[in-house]
Amino acid sequence: MRQPFVMHCGARHLRPALAAVTAAITLLATAPAGAAEATDFSATQRSEKTDFTDSQIVDGFFRTAFGAEFHMAGRVDRIRKYEAPVRVYAEGDGQAHRRAELARIVSDIAGRVEHLDIAMTDNPDEANVTVHLVRDRDLGKTIATFYGEERAREIRESLDPQCLSGFRKNDRYEIERSDVILTIDNGDFVFRDCAYEELLQSLGPINDTDKVPWTMFNDDVQKGYFDVYDQYLLNILYHPAIRPGMTVPEVKAVLPQVLADVRSYVAKVNRLTR
């Protein structure tokens, strides 16, 4: 049985004119001034926090992997993830540098999540993740195409996002397909930050939280790269012991071994001192 669409809006990238109103309604924030022009992330990555306790990692995992930020399908307190290989297809505006950047981001994710088989494809028929590259002026009508005029109007009026993602799952809580909408003309930082966040959230951890200061799934945090903390979260989610449909108690039962495996892998990939 096909389940309702679960959606996330990248609403931290807001238009300034709506920021005050939107913050009052949704407690979401704008990107910092000048962020759209930032393209060198190496200094930020060198200084990022990489030492986390088990409880800090586990808390972030439960906050992001259960529930949903924009409750189109109601709250779902079960694990949702892909079981099949993930193939990403880009369609829409033909700017070559945006497509190349997207391919680099997908490759980076593939190299940092041990049990996730993800890659780009040139064949739309084999894709289960479609990234729609659109100009900002076309974002509204693109959202309406997916969610209908009434829902699109609600999204624009309350969030006015610059990126958006969602997925459809089956009755076993396996994600079957995802759609990601990215604007290509709001600056390099917004594109990169949106691409990482929306691609990763389209894989399952779709709930944003303001309780965890280290995750990109916090509307007050802008990254532009796949940070160590979120590598922990995605590696837990895609560990073979974490199955679609698992409840919180079921996940807690297997977490000690999962976390040990994940810590070892993330340390190796990032050359962390353990």
Side-chain angles (χ1 to χ4, degrees):
M1 181 176 65
R2 188 173 295 276
Q3 298 292 322
F5 207 71
V6 182
M7 185 176 65
H8 166 264
C9 295
R12 67 165 171 261
H13 304 291
L14 303 172
R15 331 271 182 212
L18 289 181
V21 175
T22 307
I25 296 172
T26 66
L27 303 180
L28 301 176
T30 63
E37 287 73 41
T39 56
D40 183 3
F41 308 98
S42 57
T44 303
Q45 286 181 273
R46 285 195 299 270
S47 63
E48 76 166 309
K49 177 179 171 63
T50 59
D51 55 325
F52 301 99
T53 66
D54 286 355
S55 61
Q56 287 172 334
I57 296 170
V58 170
D59 178 59
F61 178 76
F62 283 118
R63 289 185 185 277
T64 58
F66 291 91
E69 180 190 11
F70 201 88
H71 302 285
M72 292 184 70
R75 187 170 181 85
V76 179
D77 287 319
R78 291 182 179 272
I79 290 293
R80 295 149 299 180
K81 62 186 285 189
Y82 277 98
E83 285 289 273
V86 178
R87 294 296 176 261
V88 182
Y89 176 75
E91 69 90 28
D93 192 280
Q95 289 194 16
H97 71 291
R98 292 298 187 216
R99 291 172 180 268
E101 181 72 5
L102 179 65
R104 284 192 293 270
I105 289 169
V106 170
S107 178
D108 186 41
I109 293 171
R112 296 181 186 276
V113 184
E114 183 175 17
H115 298 290
L116 173 65
D117 179 355
I118 184 172
M120 295 293 296
T121 178
D122 293 326
N123 182 357
D125 293 330
E126 71 177 20
N128 44 15
V129 176
T130 301
V131 178
H132 308 271
L133 302 175
V134 303
R135 294 190 177 276
D136 187 72
R137 68 190 181 204
D138 298 322
L139 180 61
K141 68 181 182 182
T142 303
I143 295 173
T145 298
F146 282 94
Y147 307 109
E149 289 290 347
E150 182 176 350
R151 182 68 62 166
R153 183 166 53 253
E154 178 184 346
I155 294 168
R156 289 195 302 269
E157 291 176 354
S158 63
L159 299 177
D160 198 29
Q162 290 178 325
C163 49
L164 179 145
S165 63
F167 58 70
R168 209 175 277 282
K169 56 183 174 53
N170 60 30
D171 57 359
R172 297 182 300 277
Y173 298 93
E174 299 165 346
I175 301 176
E176 294 184 325
R177 73 161 294 106
S178 304
D179 285 282
V180 175
I181 304 173
L182 303 177
T183 55
I184 61 170
D185 52 352
N186 280 306
D188 292 339
F189 181 86
V190 169
F191 181 83
R192 186 178 172 110
D193 193 43
C194 273
Y196 269 112
E197 182 189 11
E198 302 303 337
L199 275 171
L200 291 172
Q201 293 203 288
S202 76
L203 299 175
I206 204 161
N207 197 44
D208 271 356
T209 176
D210 61 0
K211 305 299 184 184
V212 181
W214 311 289
T215 178
M216 72 177 75
F217 310 141
N218 180 333
D219 288 317
D220 293 327
V221 176
Q222 293 80 44
K223 293 284 188 177
Y225 60 92
F226 194 5
D227 59 293
V228 167
Y229 185 81
D230 291 314
Q231 290 177 47
Y232 281 125
L233 304 191
L234 268 294
N235 274 283
I236 292 174
L237 180 61
Y238 277 87
H239 190 282
I242 304 297
R243 308 293 300 169
M246 291 178 77
T247 63
V248 170
E250 290 170 335
V251 171
K252 285 183 176 179
V254 300
L255 258 182
Q257 184 56 54
V258 168
L259 192 54
D261 293 345
V262 166
R263 277 196 175 280
S264 177
Y265 178 77
V266 172
K268 179 180 67 174
V269 168
N270 294 278
R271 300 179 182 177
L272 302 178
T273 303
R274 300 188 66 205

